[in-house]
Amino acid sequence: MDHTQENEILIATQTYCVERPIYSYPALHGKLHKKDKVSDPIGDKIKRALSCTPKKIRNIIYMFLPICKWLPAYKPREYVFGDFVSGISTGVLHLPQGPFAVISLMIGGVAVRLVPDDMYVGGGGANSTNSTEERDAMRVKVAMSVTLLSGIIQFCLGVLRFGFVAIYLTEPLVRGFTTAAAVHVFTSMLKYLFGVKTKRHSGPFSVVYSTLAVIANVKKLNICSLVVGLMCFALLLGGKEFNERFKNKLPAPIPLEIVAVIIGTGISAGFNLEESYKVDVVGSLPLGLLAPATPDSSLFHLVYVDAIAIAIVGFSVTISMAKIFAVKHGYQVDGNQELIALGICNTIGSLFQTFSISCSLSRSLVQESTGGNTQLAGCLASLLILLVILAIGFLFESLPQAVLSAIVIVNLKGMFMQFSDLPFFWRTSKIELTIWLTTFVSSLFLGLDYGLITAVIIALMTVIYRTQSPTYTVLGQLPNTDVYIDIDAYEEVKEHPGIKIFQINAPIYYANSDLYSNALSRKTGVNPALIMAARRKVLKKHAKELGTKGKPQSSVVKVDAETGGEEDAKQEEQIEENAKPVTIDSLVQKTFPPELERFLPPGPNVHTMILDFSQVNFIDSVGVKTVAGILKEYGDVGIYVYLAACSVQVVNDLTRNRFFENPCVKELLFHSIHDAVLGAKVREALAQQEALAEPPEEDSEPIIDPET
């Protein structure tokens, strides 16, 4: 027997006994003394907000320069080799591609829309070449403007702490979104793998158009390019399987991506694949950095919508991948810090004619799978790119594009494995399955920008659906305990005679208040409207029978005429009623006189309805009116309604909406379900004692108004 089983047995055999009074809300709070909350003056709050303390300065530095936090904690023996291999492998993949494929398509779409080919390119000759150069220069200006504007948007959102929106990117949404992004990247790599030339597509259904374009040109595929790609596939898949199987014996994973690049470049250069077999290669890489230039702000009004979409998609992809790795490796990410980092990179980078950056799915997966541990791997990748730009770009000119596409596709395997989420969510939650599928489908066909917006809207709608269609449960007691659970789920659970306990697992607000009222009568089997209608029907029938027996009309009156002075009798009754102490009994109406009760049909034999609010976290004004209506409807048929286990927030909501305008209503609130049950039993016991103490009344012929 292990330690866990011993603990379980020990816990199961322990008992406890608590002796305390029955706590209604007034009784409990009558024994409590609230702490005085002293609010700081506004001046002190402003002074504290503007104060400059070492801790605040340190937090600001960590926000803008996170390297100051992780670099001092760096462990060279554990991290250096993995970071080095990962940085080199990731840097090599950057050479022919630049930024994230989807962001590239989005910016390319803006550039082509504002600077179409027919605006500059005309006939052949030298003028055509000059026009092409002018077109490309103008498209660079458009890309610079989009990048600068998206960077400003991201930085401002980060400073304004808008990173909290990342909480709306739930795990099913993130996984569906990144899977769709992986499909976008996959389709963009197909033309390089097959060695075909296709038109570039962007916007909604671009993934369909790109795939159809590759299929339409499949007859023109380059066999040599495909063979090189498949060889690279075999090398990478086999090597990764080897790394995984012997990861505990290897000092570090074999850098397969670097090996593939070296072998592919060597074969391409040795056999001159570009000239002999028309295999697409990386080609010449321009050396040196361009001089800084100011983006054209006159284009802002033409690209601001696209800049907003690119800023949102760039942040969403980044935070989505960050969340996946954070869950895998056990750390947390700060959405605001990511926004600020993206904003600074895009804003400064745009001055040097760079593209808008984001997180690349394929290269992030390569960096993680090749042993990258810290941001140093990214620094090494950046240094490699800088070295290539400044000096050694010529070494990679013969690298086949098919090799790079194979590396990208193989490293998307982890993203495609997320399709295994579907059977898991099918078993666990159909709502989360809906979020995953709608996110994937909308992001795949509408594009990542519109797909993300659609996915967030669908996710928020599921929240509304869950609160609008919650679970309603009738509870019973586990004998000899204060535990109350679903009576339909367990055989041991029993209901108390005359008491119904009703639970909702959601807030009560405008979207579900009517449903709550209907579910209460349906689940408990007690419908006050039907009870009242049945009683009135019987009384009318009885009154009609009295009329057929020849009763004089004068004997059927509302008030005993023999006492005389109907108005005086009413005034005396009102005075006596006002003199009585206000109790919860005043909330429960005896609709019909006692002498008529014997003519009424038997009721549901329920005297108390307990509403369990333990899982209600708020209630709005419509919900308060609904609960007040429930109290009145059930009270009119002689049934008490108690509220149990209300949170402080719910009590405050009830108070603000004047639910306790009648002071005795607070007597209906109880600290727990068990308090409410015991309170109802005590009330009924006292009522029976009073009934036994009263002298029996003589039987008399009932006096009924047939119009009642």
Side-chain angles (χ1 to χ4, degrees):
M1 183 180 296
D2 58 16
H3 185 65
T4 303
Q5 291 177 336
E6 291 179 356
N7 283 340
E8 291 178 355
I9 294 174
L10 182 63
I11 292 173
T13 57
Q14 300 300 307
T15 61
Y16 71 92
C17 179
V18 177
E19 186 173 335
R20 64 171 176 82
I22 299 173
Y23 281 135
S24 65
Y25 183 83
L28 177 60
H29 286 264
K31 293 188 175 184
L32 301 176
H33 300 85
K34 283 191 175 182
K35 293 182 178 179
D36 295 330
K37 294 183 180 179
V38 180
S39 179
D40 295 336
I42 297 178
D44 291 346
K45 293 181 180 179
I46 296 175
K47 182 179 178 180
R48 187 164 56 251
L50 299 178
S51 63
C52 187
T53 62
K55 182 178 180 181
K56 186 175 291 187
I57 294 175
R58 185 170 63 251
N59 291 337
I60 293 174
I61 292 175
Y62 287 164
M63 178 185 296
F64 289 94
L65 297 172
I67 190 174
C68 298
K69 187 174 183 180
W70 63 263
L71 188 59
Y74 192 81
K75 300 176 182 178
R77 291 186 178 181
E78 298 181 24
Y79 297 156
V80 164
F81 185 79
D83 284 340
F84 178 79
V85 173
S86 175
I88 300 300
S89 302
T90 308
V92 170
L93 286 180
H94 279 290
L95 299 181
Q97 299 181 51
F100 179 43
V102 176
I103 298 293
S104 301
L105 292 173
M106 294 177 70
I107 294 182
V110 181
V112 171
R113 188 185 75 238
L114 296 181
V115 189
D117 292 335
D118 54 10
M119 181 182 294
Y120 288 91
V121 180
N127 292 332
S128 176
T129 303
N130 294 335
S131 298
T132 302
E133 293 177 353
E134 292 176 3
R135 179 203 64 186
D136 292 343
M138 189 60 193
R139 286 179 175 177
V140 169
K141 285 186 177 182
V142 172
M144 290 172 59
S145 299
V146 173
T147 301
L148 175 61
L149 195 55
S150 64
I152 293 173
I153 293 170
Q154 289 170 332
F155 182 80
C156 292
L157 291 176
V159 172
L160 296 175
R161 318 300 292 174
F162 266 79
F164 74 91
V165 298
I167 64 176
Y168 295 106
L169 303 179
T170 64
E171 183 179 359
L173 188 149
V174 167
R175 296 177 75 86
F177 181 73
T178 52
T179 305
V183 176
H184 278 278
V185 175
F186 174 79
T187 55
S188 68
M189 293 292 107
L190 288 178
K191 63 180 182 181
Y192 300 112
L193 181 64
F194 290 111
V196 297
K197 306 290 185 182
T198 62
K199 183 180 178 182
R200 179 175 53 194
H201 298 278
S202 62
F205 299 100
S206 60
V207 68
V208 177
Y209 299 141
S210 298
T211 305
L212 292 177
V214 172
I215 295 174
N217 291 274
V218 72
K219 294 182 179 179
K220 302 177 183 178
L221 69 85
N222 189 303
I223 300 295
C224 184
S225 178
L226 180 61
V227 170
V228 170
L230 293 178
M231 290 173 60
C232 187
F233 263 118
L235 172 66
L236 292 172
L237 291 175
K240 286 183 178 294
E241 182 65 26
F242 181 84
N243 281 341
E244 182 65 25
R245 181 169 296 183
F246 298 99
K247 62 181 178 181
N248 295 327
K249 297 181 180 180
L250 294 173
I254 298 175
L256 297 167
E257 284 75 15
I258 296 178
V259 173
V261 168
I262 293 174
I263 294 176
T265 304
I267 293 176
S268 176
F271 292 93
N272 195 16
L273 298 183
E274 182 182 13
E275 296 293 335
S276 303
Y277 299 96
K278 306 300 180 183
V279 173
D280 289 333
V281 296
V282 171
S284 61
L285 297 174
L287 298 180
L289 295 174
L290 298 175
T294 304
D296 190 356
S297 59
S298 64
L299 297 173
F300 282 0
H301 72 285
L302 299 174
V303 300
Y304 74 93
V305 175
D306 302 279
I308 293 173
I310 290 169
I312 294 174
V313 170
F315 168 69
S316 301
V317 173
T318 301
I319 200 68
S320 298
M321 287 298 296
K323 282 188 170 186
I324 289 174
F325 290 133
V327 171
K328 184 175 181 179
H329 296 286
Y331 61 87
Q332 293 183 340
V333 292
D334 183 357
N336 296 310
Q337 192 175 53
E338 297 297 327
L339 278 170
I340 291 173
L342 291 171
I344 292 176
C345 289
N346 286 332
T347 302
I348 297 177
S350 66
L351 304 177
F352 295 88
Q353 304 185 23
T354 64
F355 240 36
S356 180
I357 71 160
S358 180
C359 166
S360 168
L361 270 68
S362 57
R363 276 153 280 171
S364 298
L365 293 168
V366 168
Q367 181 169 313
E368 191 265 345
S369 64
T370 52
N373 296 292
T374 67
Q375 290 90 328
L376 186 60
C379 295
L380 289 173
S382 301
L383 289 175
L384 176 61
I385 296 169
L386 181 63
L387 183 63
V388 170
I389 291 174
L390 296 179
I392 62 172
F394 68 93
L395 294 177
F396 300 95
E397 290 181 356
S398 299
L399 177 61
Q401 295 273 20
V403 171
L404 292 168
S405 65
I407 294 174
V408 170
I409 292 172
V410 168
N411 283 281
L412 290 174
K413 177 184 175 183
M415 293 291 101
F416 290 129
M417 290 298 292
Q418 293 181 152
F419 280 111
S420 62
D421 294 343
L422 298 179
F424 171 77
F425 287 128
W426 175 264
R427 293 191 304 268
T428 57
S429 174
K430 300 299 190 297
I431 292 179
E432 291 186 329
L433 176 65
T434 302
I435 295 175
W436 198 106
L437 287 174
T438 54
T439 302
F440 174 77
V441 173
S442 59
S443 300
L444 182 64
F445 293 108
L446 301 181
L448 295 187
D449 45 359
Y450 295 113
L452 179 65
I453 296 173
T454 304
V456 172
I457 293 174
I458 294 295
L460 293 177
M461 289 177 63
T462 61
V463 175
I464 297 174
Y465 170 77
R466 291 191 185 200
T467 57
Q468 190 176 10
S469 303
T471 301
Y472 302 106
T473 310
V474 177
L475 306 181
Q477 184 188 24
L478 188 62
N480 301 320
T481 70
D482 60 351
V483 177
Y484 291 83
I485 48 182
D486 188 359
I487 61 171
D488 295 328
Y490 304 98
E491 296 179 356
E492 296 84 358
V493 180
K494 306 298 180 183
E495 283 190 284
H496 289 279
I499 299 176
K500 291 286 185 180
I501 306 170
F502 185 70
Q503 182 189 73
I504 180 177
N505 66 342
I508 303 175
Y509 68 119
Y510 67 92
N512 67 359
S513 56
D514 288 339
L515 299 175
Y516 177 74
S517 179
N518 295 334
L520 175 63
S521 59
R522 184 181 70 253
K523 295 284 288 185
T524 61
V526 182
N527 191 324
L530 295 180
I531 296 172
M532 182 66 73
R535 291 183 176 182
R536 286 180 174 168
K537 183 178 180 181
V538 170
L539 290 178
K540 285 185 178 181
K541 182 178 179 181
H542 184 67
K544 191 177 293 185
E545 290 176 355
L546 290 178
T548 59
K549 292 180 180 179
K551 289 281 185 180
Q553 187 67 24
S554 59
S555 65
V556 186
V557 293
K558 291 182 181 179
V559 182
D560 188 0
E562 296 179 359
T563 58
E566 184 177 350
E567 294 296 329
D568 293 340
K570 286 185 179 181
Q571 291 179 2
E572 290 177 2
E573 290 178 1
Q574 187 66 38
I575 294 172
E576 291 177 0
E577 188 68 25
N578 294 337
K580 293 181 180 178
V582 179
T583 64
I584 60 172
D585 292 332
S586 62
L587 301 173
V588 179
Q589 305 283 333
K590 290 296 183 181
T591 311
F592 303 101
E595 62 269 15
L596 299 180
E597 292 290 340
R598 58 176 175 161
F599 296 99
L600 300 178
N605 199 24
V606 174
H607 54 73
T608 305
M609 194 77 66
I610 299 175
L611 307 182
D612 177 21
F613 276 20
S614 60
Q615 299 184 24
V616 178
N617 54 4
F618 75 87
I619 180 170
D620 69 353
S621 60
V622 178
V624 172
K625 291 179 180 177
T626 299
V627 175
I630 290 172
L631 261 66
K632 184 179 185 306
E633 290 176 0
Y634 284 86
D636 286 345
V637 294
I639 298 176
Y640 291 82
V641 178
Y642 288 170
L643 277 60
C646 295
S647 66
V648 175
Q649 176 64 44
V650 170
V651 173
N652 291 337
D653 292 339
L654 294 171
T655 304
R656 281 195 299 268
N657 288 280
R658 303 176 66 181
F659 183 75
F660 302 115
E661 192 171 17
N662 185 345
C664 65
V665 175
K666 284 192 175 182
E667 297 288 343
L668 302 176
L669 268 66
F670 285 85
H671 177 65
S672 67
I673 298 176
H674 199 56
D675 286 298
V677 170
L678 296 178
K681 287 187 172 183
V682 170
R683 188 201 69 239
E684 287 300 305
L686 292 175
Q688 290 179 6
Q689 291 179 4
E690 292 178 0
L692 293 174
E694 292 179 358
E697 296 183 2
E698 297 182 359
D699 292 340
S700 59
E701 189 71 24
I703 302 175
I704 305 173
D705 182 4
E707 297 180 359
T708 301

